[in-house]
Amino acid sequence: MEENKPTYWELFAAKHQRELTAQEQALFEKYRGEYPEDWDSSLKIKGGLDALSEISAPNQNKSWQSIQGRIQTTKIRRITFSTFKYAAIVLVSLLVGYLLKNQIKPMPAQQYAEVEVMYGQMGHLFLFDGTEVWLDSGSKLKYPSQFNQREREVILEGEGFFKVAKNKDVPFKVKTQRLEVEVLGTSFNVSSYDDDGKVAVVLEEGSVRLNWPGGEEITTIKPGEMAELDSTADKLAIKKVDTKYYTDWKDGTLEFRDEPLGDIAKKLERWYNVDVIIEDPALVEYKITGTVLRNKPVQQIIQVFEFLAPIRTEYLSKPSQKDIIKIAKK
């Protein structure tokens, strides 16, 4: 898709807000015909917005308590990814924003939303300050209903790419379990999966400062650099990298260069919601270079791997649980 061409979910959202241009209207009609089920899902979400608009002012506090309870029990993800697989959550962002910011008047305590992206899926949303966020499979993002005047703070588990809206007076902070990333306005990727044993920050443009969880500054990095923290030893290493190998996942491409098969297996597990079993331990560190397109079946992907490495693969379908990919030495 062209860089500035709107996705069909963005067009659906604009249609509900009556903001389509004549050119976008034609594109909307095309997408509605191609994705009728997702259009029906968007109508259900719009119906929820319309219902919320009927909350009367005297009952807003009581209504918010009821809505808050539902958000906490569903963690929002059930509204998003159980309804439309692989969809960018533009419409859900509208719904959450409506609940947390526009419809509800100031509350004494800060309210938070949490978006969880299941394995085999990917998320895309806009925060209230205009910051654009992509979430990779198996990730969670927690963010407040509105940022305060001192800082914009979100909490990430997993992997996310952030295109931060510039505000020189209010820094934007991404907190992970082991590291804090602080910026004013920039584009960067953060990977912080628990089972990886490391936190990696790749800077595409701008400048970021890395802090310990308590706020103590560690260092700053420049565009084209990656800072990697070994979570077990608290050792930080900085090196020059080609950023596309760490950020192209948000565009549906997984690129790797001299990457261990064991690390690639973890990414395939998250992207395709499968279990990968490497039967020969010697293969875990075998280096592979290649590209995976997310819209291709995983069975096709592993067949390509047999040409890139001395391996043979077996795909086992499990109807009531995760499918299994077995990798063995030829």
Side-chain angles (χ1 to χ4, degrees), residues 138-151:
S139 301
K140 293 181 183 179
L141 184 73
K142 183 178 179 181
Y143 57 96
S145 59
Q146 57 184 8
F147 296 119
N148 61 44
Q149 296 180 351
R150 299 184 306 276
E151 62 184 14

Side-chain angles (χ1 to χ4, degrees), residues 264-274 276 301 305:
I264 295 173
K266 287 183 181 179
K267 294 179 180 179
L268 293 179
E269 287 181 330
R270 295 164 186 157
W271 265 41
Y272 294 101
N273 193 27
V274 297
V276 179
I301 299 301
F305 281 173

Side-chain angles (χ1 to χ4, degrees), residues 165-224:
K166 293 183 179 180
N167 187 334
K168 62 183 180 63
D169 298 319
V170 185
F172 187 95
K173 296 182 180 180
V174 179
K175 291 200 168 187
T176 71
Q177 189 174 8
R178 303 295 298 170
L179 197 66
E180 177 185 278
V181 184
E182 180 178 345
V183 304
L184 296 177
T186 186
S187 300
F188 62 97
N189 193 82
V190 181
S191 180
S192 180
Y193 288 103
D194 287 341
D195 58 350
D196 279 351
K198 62 184 179 182
V199 181
V201 181
V202 176
L203 181 59
E204 191 171 77
E205 62 179 35
S207 177
V208 303
R209 185 173 76 180
L210 304 181
N211 305 327
W212 293 117
E216 180 184 357
E217 181 177 354
I218 306 173
T219 188
T220 59
I221 60 174
K222 301 174 183 178

Side-chain angles (χ1 to χ4, degrees), residues 273-277 279 298-299 302 313-327:
N273 193 27
V274 297
D275 286 328
V276 179
I277 300 173
E279 297 183 338
V298 66
Q299 296 94 326
I302 61 175
T313 62
E314 181 181 6
Y315 189 89
L316 303 176
S317 181
K318 301 287 184 179
S320 60
Q321 51 190 305
K322 288 184 180 180
D323 291 348
I324 296 175
I325 298 173
K326 289 186 177 182
I327 300 177

Side-chain angles (χ1 to χ4, degrees), residues 67-128:
I67 293 168
Q68 181 188 31
R70 289 198 294 274
I71 289 177
Q72 290 175 340
T73 57
T74 61
K75 291 187 178 179
I76 297 176
R77 68 172 177 82
R78 294 184 183 176
I79 303 174
T80 61
F81 300 105
S82 294
T83 306
F84 27 86
K85 192 175 183 182
Y86 301 118
I89 52 177
V90 175
L91 283 177
V92 178
S93 299
L94 290 176
L95 175 59
V96 174
Y98 198 86
L99 290 173
L100 298 179
K101 185 181 180 184
N102 298 328
Q103 181 63 29
I104 309 303
K105 299 305 179 183
M107 300 293 290
Q110 180 66 282
Q111 309 296 333
Y112 285 84
E114 182 178 281
V115 175
E116 180 174 0
V117 183
M118 305 301 289
Y119 285 139
Q121 302 174 6
M122 191 167 72
H124 178 206
L125 69 154
F126 291 84
L127 302 182
F128 307 120

